[in-house]
């Protein structure tokens, strides 16, 4: 056999692109549906179970309104029916003088479980009419863990930005798995103190109406829930979490600009519950990298007993330990640099009768001359003040967010338990 | 689809039959080959002597009825004399044949000179056919007895052993094949016998021998220069009808060069993938699947050492340098008892020994790889072979579009082979081989992946007797991988490593018990050492805590016995028992695991046979992977107290027919089942998990299929076409409701591709020009895709389909290459050959993988990645001198 002495003077001529990516459509059947059931059975408090439907990847959903009832059955036969049935749960949106009340598209079934026996097991049944019926596994109610500590510290990041680091410590006699969630609420103001109000109907800013308001229009309040975080101490010698990270707010975050509250709920959970949420977190990172894990669904502890489609959800159970922490700004918060520049760019415009989106003349204090510019959505905030007092027909203009705090989120309604920001005990 | 396959089959069969009706034309054949053609045409016995020193070539065109006369005239012109005796023709160079002994032959003082010449001739080693050789001493002749004849078959050009040559005795219908060392042995009756030696790519040798007693006969064969019009039945075809073995494919390096491949690089694994029943997860992916088995269920041996990752550069190149490889065999079904440890297949690759006559080498410089190969003698009894490859392929990564993940990638590999063989004496030879490879690549600036293979082995091969050979092999294999992550904030940088190594000792015997039984037996031992993972800080600024999982050791041993029994002309049986021992170094008990290998062949006619076989196999090592393809992060784990060994069986059967025109048609079906294959739980952490056992789940798998193959090894048109229908499914064996994949139902395995069509063909227009074609079609592999978006606990998540419920688009690729060999003159100092080819002629954007991206607030969007999304033309120039 002859041997090749000199081999392969290969000239490889590759065309423009050897490999490529192209859009891909898996052609998912239109009847693919997922019914989502989310919630926790609490002891010592009311329980809320939220029902919703998944959205298809093309952005559509077959959601037409879920009509559902539910009941909790105890192993001793007692039954607790849900105390709320409906297609939505109203909440007060911002600008309720214009927008009608909005109903949460995800209906909530509320159960009065304040006095249920934590030593017994319960099973959740849901009848969603045309959407089918569902039944959970037997739920074991864990007693609440104990929150040992909830605190924040002031830290400085590698980029030199300061932040507040919130941590919680807790222990449990029942399980090494902890479920941590928290609700944030905060008071904030608009960027400048004005007597103006934003009217979404006309997209204008004008003098505010005071009726029925206790607070100036530049003070708002809002809240938000956070995703559930599960933490395991299974590898530890005790069922304890120490200084578990909850949240981080940097010095430019509006939440800590006036008064901030965090209500932390810690619940003990089963290993299955922990693994379910942990898996959700892991598979939420979708990427087609060659070496990323193949994802797959995990079945929860609630199952469909009639109807078509899949069901997603894991019903938690147990009592929550709750702790609350307030933070009052005493100089830590800094106005965002980008917005500061906006204020410095406030210009002095002649007020026109026309709505301020046209070209206008404006006075630029430095170098002290009148110029022309487009308002670019800015609105007049207040009359311009000169050395000799108000300058006639001349206003300081700025972004409408400077005027009405609702445009930064939240609304004028403060809950009854919201403290006075001037309370010295905070 | 079915109609298309049948139409192609009919066209191929028609073209093969048409060839046989034309005039006989021979071009540039040796005298010996011309005599062989004369024999084939006339059917007469004809012998030739003195042709071994003749460098002349002969060409002739003639009708069949006058071909013999014209051929003999050509030989006379070349200086041969033609004599006839009792209807037998004798052709001799430079002398005339004496048809009878001289009258004074038996008078001691009057021995004619001619008889002395004859005696001298018989003492030479058999280098050519048509000579009568005497084995042993005539005084020891006992008629009616049996004797073992053995020897080596070597290549006349370089002295290297020739593997897979069929050795057949027509009188007794006794048959064998040369092994990896070119060694053969047959049990023959004393007296006159005729041996036929045939096999690709060598010219057939026919020998008349007279067996007086046991003895040896070494054969030297020359490379065949085939006629284009003569389509003959190949030795492989004949061998296939004699052996009871199913699912065995032999791969010759010469044939690999004819299969078009990306960038013009001959690749042994690409040749394996062109066979029916062998699939890969996707283009440019590591590993392969055989008859529904997973990638870790294939035992890949290189000089008796285990190779854990057989690919370079994401599967674009195999780990085996084809310049160094001698031959390979893949056992898809009837796995001999000497092999064990994997339940799906065995790919056994052997390196060359090196040219025994002179030092030679090859040097290749390319845009992607460069290679150097040297081999030759070191003294009279020693030869060496050395090969090295390296690549510098970063430029191709830069061609990848920006929106892919790999645009900024870098990639590099190198490998080295070294081997020495030393012959102490006629009975003892030592082989020492080493292989080392390293791959390194990164997709972005912050993470670098690398992995190494290392295999070293030493083998002593001894002929204990004419009937018994022994091999003692000791060696060390290791595979380790590393990930070096340089995060943006160096406090998080880390280095992750894992490693598997093994030391092995094998003792193998082959014994020719009698003419009907060839036995093999031996002992294999293996000591595993597994380092499942370690993490260390990436640099001084890193705050990553160093951790290391405990080493895992285990012992695996086996004793085996096998017998190949030729019952009669119709029946042949092969059976074997392998008893394995396994003990992991924990509290798990010693496992004793018997395995059975059985297969049978029944010859319905001489060219039509039916076979059945069943194998049981076990596997104590698992690859832990939750990706579709072998990734550098994949680790291996051993069976222990919690992880059971995999076990399975395969039943297969087939019909095999060889047409008179030399076309092999086979239909083989199989059914496989296995248990305790590992899959992973949803959200499993497979890396640095000290509780890994808890994240793994056991599955059972089943696969079945049928393979139809049409193969032609000689003539103008050669190659093979195959269609395979195969399915592979898995089912979780245990777990609670939360963990059950697809609710505990059977689901498609990641390598389930029901339809597969392959064609690897070569058509020789003339001796100079040939066209090669490669067609590969398969159903897209299964994938799991997100199907919906939902909110839970205030967060958005993706809902996924059932595991592997969808498929990526079907795969189709056609490659063409034109091979030009401008000159065939033996005396040329330099011979050129040119290959002009196009990989992926249709430019089809075959999907390799599908991924989804999801930005905050947006819906997820799916993309498919194509590795070769356009035609890739290439030009290869080879120079032989």
């Amino acid at each position: 056999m002859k041997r090749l002495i000199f081999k392969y003077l290969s000239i490889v001529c590759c065309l423009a692109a050897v490999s490529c990516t192209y859009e891909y459509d898996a052609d998912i059947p239109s009847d693919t549906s997922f019914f989502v059931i989310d919630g926790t059975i609490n002891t010592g408090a009311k329980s809320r179970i939220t029902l919703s439907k998944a959205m298809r990847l093309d952005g559509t959903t077959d959601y037409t309104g879920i009509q559902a009832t539910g009941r909790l059955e105890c192993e001793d036969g007692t039954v607790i029916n849900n105390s709320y049935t409906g297609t939505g749960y109203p909440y007060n949106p911002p600008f309720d003088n214009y927008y009608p009340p909005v109903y949460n598209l995800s209906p909530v079934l509320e159960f009065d479980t304040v006095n249920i026996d934590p030593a017994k097991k319960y099973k959740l049944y849901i009848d969603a009419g045309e959407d089918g019926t569902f039944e959970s596994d037997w739920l074991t109610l864990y007693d609440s863990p104990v929150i040992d500590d909830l605190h924040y510290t002031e830290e400085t990041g590698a980029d030199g930005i300061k932040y507040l680091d919130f941590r919680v410590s807790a222990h449990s006699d029942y399980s090494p798995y902890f479920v941590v969630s928290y609700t944030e609420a905060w008071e904030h103001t608009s960027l400048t103190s004005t007597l103006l109000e934003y009217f979404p109907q006309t997209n204008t800013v004008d003098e505010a109406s005071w009726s029925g308001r206790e607070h100036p229009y530049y003070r708002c309040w809002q809240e938000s829930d956070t995703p559930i975080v599960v933490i395991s101490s299974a590898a530890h010698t005790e069922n304890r979490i120490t200084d578990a990270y909850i949240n981080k707010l940097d010095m430019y975050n509006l939440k800590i600009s006036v008064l901030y509250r965090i209500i932390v709920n810690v619940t003990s959970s089963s290993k299955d519950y922990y693994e379910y949420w942990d898996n959700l977190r892991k598979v939420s990172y979708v990427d087609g990298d060659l070496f990323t894990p193949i994802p797959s669904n995990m079945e929860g502890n609630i199952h469909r007993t009639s109807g078509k489609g899949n069901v997603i959800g894991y019903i938690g159970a147990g009592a929550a330990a709750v702790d609350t922490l307030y933070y009052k700004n005493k100089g830590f918060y800094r106005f965002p640099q980008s917005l500061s520049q906006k204020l410095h760019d406030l210009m002095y415009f002649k007020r026109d009768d026309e709505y301020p989106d046209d070209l206008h003349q404006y006075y630029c204090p430095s170098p002290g001359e009148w110029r022309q510019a487009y308002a670019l959505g800015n609105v007049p905030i207040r009359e311009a003040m000169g050395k000799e007092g108000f300058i006639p027909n001349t206003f300081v203009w700025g972004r409408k967010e400077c005027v009405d705090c609702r445009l930064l989120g939240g609304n004028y309604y403060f809950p009854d338990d919201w403290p006075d920001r001037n309370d010295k005990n905070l | 689809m079915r109609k298309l396959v049948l139409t192609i089959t009919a066209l191929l069969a028609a073209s093969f039959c048409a060839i046989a009706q034309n005039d006989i034309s021979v071009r540039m054949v040796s005298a010996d080959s011309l005599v062989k053609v004369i024999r084939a045409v006339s059917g007469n016995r004809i012998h030739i002597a003195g042709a071994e020193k003749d460098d002349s070539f002969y060409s002739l065109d003639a009708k069949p009825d006058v071909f013999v006369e014209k051929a003999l005239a050509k030989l006379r012109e070349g200086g041969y004399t033609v004599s006839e005796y009792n209807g037998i023709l004798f052709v001799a160079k430079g002398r005339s044949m004496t048809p009878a002994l001289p009258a004074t032959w038996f008078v001691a003082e009057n021995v004619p000179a001619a008889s002395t010449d004859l005696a001298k001739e018989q003492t030479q080693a058999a280098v050519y056919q048509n000579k009568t050789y005497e084995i042993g001493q005539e005084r020891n002749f006992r008629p009616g007895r049996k004797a073992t004849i053995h020897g080596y078959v070597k290549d006349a050009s370089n002295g290297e052993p020739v593997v897979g040559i069929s050795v057949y005795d027509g009188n007794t219908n006794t048959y064998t094949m040369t092994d990896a060392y070119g060694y053969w042995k047959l049990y023959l009756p004393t007296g006159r016998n005729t041996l036929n030696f045939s096999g690709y790519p060598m010219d057939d040798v026919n020998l008349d021998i007279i067996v007086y007693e046991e003895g040896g006969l070494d054969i030297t064969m020359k490379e065949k220069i085939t006629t284009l019009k003569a389509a003959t039945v190949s030795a492989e075809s004949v061998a296939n009808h004699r052996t009871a073995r199913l699912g065995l494919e032999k791969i010759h390096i010469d044939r690999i060069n004819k299969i078009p491949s990306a960038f013009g690089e001959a690749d042994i694994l690409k040749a394996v993938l062109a066979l029916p029943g062998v699939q890969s997860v996707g283009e440019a992916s590591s590993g392969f699947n055989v008859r529904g088995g997973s990638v870790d269920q294939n035992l890949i041996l290189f000089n008796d050492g285990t190779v854990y990752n057989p690919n370079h550069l994401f599967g674009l190149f195999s780990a085996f340098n084809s310049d160094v490889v001698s031959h390979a065999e893949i056992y898809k079904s009837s796995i001999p008892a000497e092999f064990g440890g994997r339940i799906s297949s065995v790919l056994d690759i052997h390196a060359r020994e090196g040219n025994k006559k002179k030092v030679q080498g090859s040097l290749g410089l390319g845009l992607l790889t460069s290679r150097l190969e040297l081999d030759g003698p070191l003294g009279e009894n020693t030869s060496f072979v050395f090969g090295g490859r390296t690549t510098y392929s970063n430029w191709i990564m830069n061609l990848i579009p920006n929106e892919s993940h790999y645009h900024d990638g870098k990639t590099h590999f190198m490998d080295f082979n070294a081997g020495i063989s030393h012959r102490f004496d006629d009975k003892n030879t030592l082989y020492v081989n080493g292989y080392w490879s390293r791959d390194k690549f990164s997709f972005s600036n912050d993470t670098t992946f690398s992995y190494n293979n290392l295999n070293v082995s030493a083998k002593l091969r001894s002929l204990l007797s004419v009937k018994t050979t022994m091999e003692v092999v000791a060696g060390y294999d290791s595979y380790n991988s590393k990930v070096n992550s340089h995060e943006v904030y160096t406090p998080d940088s880390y280095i992750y490593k894992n490693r598997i190594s093994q030391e092995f000792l094998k003792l193998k015997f082959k014994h020719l018990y009698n003419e009907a039984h060839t036995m093999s037996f031996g002992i294999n031992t293996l000591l595993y050492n597994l380092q499942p993972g370690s993490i260390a800080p990436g640099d001084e600024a890193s705050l990553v805590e160093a951790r290391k999982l405990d080493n895992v050791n285990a012992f695996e041993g086996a004793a085996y016995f096998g017998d190949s029994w030729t019952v009669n002309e119709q029946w042949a049986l092969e059976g074997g028992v392998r008893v394995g021992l396994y003990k992991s170094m924990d509290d798990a008990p010693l496992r004793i695991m018997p395995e059975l290998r059985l297969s049978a062949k029944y010859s319905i006619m001489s060219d039509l046979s039916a076979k059945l076989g069943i194998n049981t196999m076990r596997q104590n090592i698992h690859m832990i992977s939750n990706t579709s393809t072998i990734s550098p992060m994949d680790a291996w784990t051993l069976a222990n107290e919690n992880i059971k060994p995999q076990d399975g069986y395969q039943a297969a059967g087939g019909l095999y027919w060889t047409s008179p025109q030399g076309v092999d048609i086979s239909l083989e079906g199989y059914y496989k089942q296995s248990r305790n294959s590992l899959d992973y739980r949803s959200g499993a952490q497979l890396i640095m998990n000290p509780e890994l056992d808890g994240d793994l789940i056991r599955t059972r798998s089943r696969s079945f299929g049928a393979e139809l193959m049409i193969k032609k090894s000689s003539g103008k048109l050669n190659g093979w076409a195959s269609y395979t229908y195969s399915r592979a499914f898995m089912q979780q064996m245990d777990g609670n409701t939360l963990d059950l994949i697809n609710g505990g139902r059977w689901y498609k395995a990641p390598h389930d591709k029901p339809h597969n069509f392959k064609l690897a063909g070569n058509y020789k227009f003339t001796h100079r020009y040939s066209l090669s074609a490669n067609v590969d079609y398969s159903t897209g592999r299964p994938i799991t895709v997100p199907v919906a978006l939902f909110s839970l606990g205030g967060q958005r998540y993706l809902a996924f389909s059932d595991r592997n419920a969808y498929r990526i688009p079907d795969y189709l690729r056609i490659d063409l290459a034109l091979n030009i060999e401008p000159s065939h003159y033996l005396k040329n100092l330099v011979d050129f050959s040119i290959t002009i080819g196009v990989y992926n002629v249709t430019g089809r954007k075959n999907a390799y993988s599908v991924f989804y991206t999801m930005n905050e607030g947006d819906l997820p969007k799916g993309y498919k990645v194509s590795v070769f999304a356009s035609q890739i033309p290439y030009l290869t120039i080879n120079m032989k001198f």
Side-chain angles (χ1 to χ4, degrees), chain B residues 274-338:
Chain B
L275 298 171
V278 183
Q279 302 196 58
S280 73
V281 172
E283 195 159 41
S285 64
S286 292
F288 53 91
N289 306 98
V290 177
R291 291 187 169 177
S294 57
V295 293
D296 68 334
Q297 293 175 346
N298 306 309
L299 179 63
I300 302 172
L301 295 173
F302 188 42
N303 298 324
D304 289 293
T306 303
V307 177
Y308 284 91
N309 191 334
N311 292 104
H312 288 309
L313 200 63
F314 322 119
L316 283 178
F317 300 95
S318 81
F320 310 107
N321 185 341
S322 59
D323 288 340
V324 171
V325 172
S326 163
H327 66 281
E329 292 163 336
I330 180 164
Y331 299 87
K332 299 184 292 183
S333 181
S334 301
I335 299 176
E338 70 173 280

Side-chain angles (χ1 to χ4, degrees), chain B residues 301-469:
Chain B
L301 295 173
F302 188 42
N303 298 324
D304 289 293
T306 303
V307 177
Y308 284 91
N309 191 334
N311 292 104
H312 288 309
L313 200 63
F314 322 119
L316 283 178
F317 300 95
S318 81
F320 310 107
N321 185 341
S322 59
D323 288 340
V324 171
V325 172
S326 163
H327 66 281
E329 292 163 336
I330 180 164
Y331 299 87
K332 299 184 292 183
S333 181
S334 301
I335 299 176
E338 70 173 280
F339 296 114
R342 302 290 189 275
I343 64 175
S344 193
S345 76
V346 175
L347 176 62
D348 190 15
I349 304 173
H350 294 266
R352 292 172 40 229
E353 293 181 13
N355 195 319
K356 310 281 187 191
K357 296 187 176 179
K358 60 179 180 178
V359 176
Q360 63 182 24
S362 64
L363 174 67
L365 296 173
L367 292 180
L368 274 182
T369 63
S370 289
R371 64 176 87 189
L372 168 69
E373 186 267 333
L374 283 174
D375 63 279
L378 288 173
E380 191 178 336
N381 296 317
T382 309
S383 64
F384 77 96
V385 61
F386 170 81
R389 285 189 300 180
T390 186
T391 186
Y392 27 82
S393 43
N394 289 334
W395 64 268
I396 203 170
M397 301 294 284
N398 294 331
L399 292 180
I400 298 172
N402 286 338
E403 55 266 23
S404 81
H405 295 265
Y406 316 119
H407 176 78
D408 295 324
K410 292 180 171 48
T411 176
H412 169 74
F413 77 82
M414 61 171 72
D415 62 40
F416 296 101
N417 290 271
I420 288 181
S421 65
H422 176 72
R423 188 161 172 264
F424 293 104
D425 50 41
D426 287 345
K427 296 187 178 177
N428 297 287
T429 310
L430 177 69
Y431 305 88
V432 179
N433 285 285
Y435 169 72
W436 179 85
S437 75
R438 177 177 168 79
D439 275 71
K440 191 172 177 182
F441 55 93
S442 62
F443 299 135
S444 58
N445 291 330
D446 59 14
T447 307
T448 303
F449 301 88
S450 62
Y451 58 88
N452 299 348
N453 277 307
L454 173 66
N455 302 93
V456 290
S457 65
K459 179 191 311 190
L460 177 67
R461 185 167 176 277
S462 294
L463 300 181
L464 298 181
S465 69
V466 294
K467 292 189 178 185
T468 309
T469 57

Side-chain angles (χ1 to χ4, degrees), chain B residues 22 64 150 158 165 202 245 252 266 293 344 471 506-507 513 593 625 687 759-760 792 849 851 854:
Chain B
N22 296 333
H150 65 101
N158 56 24
I165 296 295
M202 314 310 278
R245 218 164 260 179
H252 295 274
S344 193
E471 288 177 23
K506 302 179 187 179
L507 183 62
Y513 182 72
M593 304 168 293
S625 174
I687 296 171
L759 182 141
L792 199 63
S849 177
F851 68 95
M854 186 165 72

Side-chain angles (χ1 to χ4, degrees), chain A residues 253-269:
Chain A
N253 196 313
L254 192 68
K255 293 179 183 177
I256 58 171
S257 60
V258 179
L259 182 64
Y260 170 81
R261 178 180 74 187
I262 183 170
I263 301 175
V264 176
N265 292 270
V266 182
T267 312
S268 291
S269 80

Side-chain angles (χ1 to χ4, degrees), chain B residues 619-791:
Chain B
Q619 179 169 336
N620 299 305
I621 185 169
H622 312 259
M623 188 179 73
I624 306 302
S625 174
N626 56 5
T627 57
S628 299
T629 182
I630 294 178
S631 91
M633 304 282 281
D634 289 340
W636 294 79
T637 190
L638 295 167
N640 57 29
E641 199 174 12
N642 300 314
I643 300 176
K644 294 187 180 178
Q646 301 182 53
D647 64 75
Y649 74 88
Q650 178 183 168
L655 282 173
Y656 310 84
W657 177 57
T658 303
S659 76
Q661 294 79 22
V663 177
D664 294 312
I665 299 177
S666 64
L667 177 64
E668 216 170 280
Y670 65 89
Y671 181 82
K672 282 168 83 165
Q673 269 197 358
S674 70
R675 300 181 307 173
N676 302 324
S677 305
L678 291 183
D679 205 334
Y680 57 94
R681 298 174 60 189
S682 295
Q685 179 194 339
L686 302 186
I687 296 171
M688 289 304 298
N689 184 354
E691 309 291 334
L692 179 64
D693 298 357
D695 273 353
L696 300 175
I697 51 178
R698 298 186 304 148
T699 63
R700 59 174 66 90
S701 64
R702 66 177 187 210
S703 59
F704 53 88
E707 300 165 8
L708 173 66
M709 182 164 176
I710 299 172
K711 185 172 163 183
K712 184 170 180 292
S713 305
S714 59
K716 271 194 171 186
L717 177 67
N718 58 79
W720 66 85
S722 68
Y723 168 75
T724 304
Y725 177 78
S726 64
R727 301 306 308 271
F729 300 94
M730 298 169 74
Q731 181 187 42
Q732 189 170 340
M733 289 173 68
D734 50 26
N736 59 32
T737 307
L738 195 67
D739 292 337
L740 286 176
I741 298 172
N742 287 15
R745 301 182 301 276
W746 286 95
Y747 58 96
K748 300 187 199 84
H751 42 272
D752 174 59
K753 297 182 183 179
H755 301 285
N756 186 266
F757 173 77
K758 298 182 190 185
L759 182 141
N762 182 264
Y763 184 79
K764 287 186 179 177
F765 298 99
T766 66
H767 278 291
R768 291 204 172 98
Y769 298 94
S770 66
L771 181 72
S772 298
N774 195 33
V775 178
D776 193 349
Y777 164 82
S778 64
T779 315
R781 66 173 173 82
I783 52 171
T784 306
V785 299
V787 294
L789 193 63
F790 65 95
S791 288

Side-chain angles (χ1 to χ4, degrees), chain A residues 1 3 5 7 288 297 299, chain B residues 157 323 360 738 800 851 881:
Chain A
M1 197 183 311
R3 303 304 309 160
I5 304 296
K7 192 171 182 182
N297 290 329
E299 285 199 21
Chain B
S157 65
D323 288 340
Q360 63 182 24
L738 195 67
F800 292 92
F851 68 95
F881 56 91

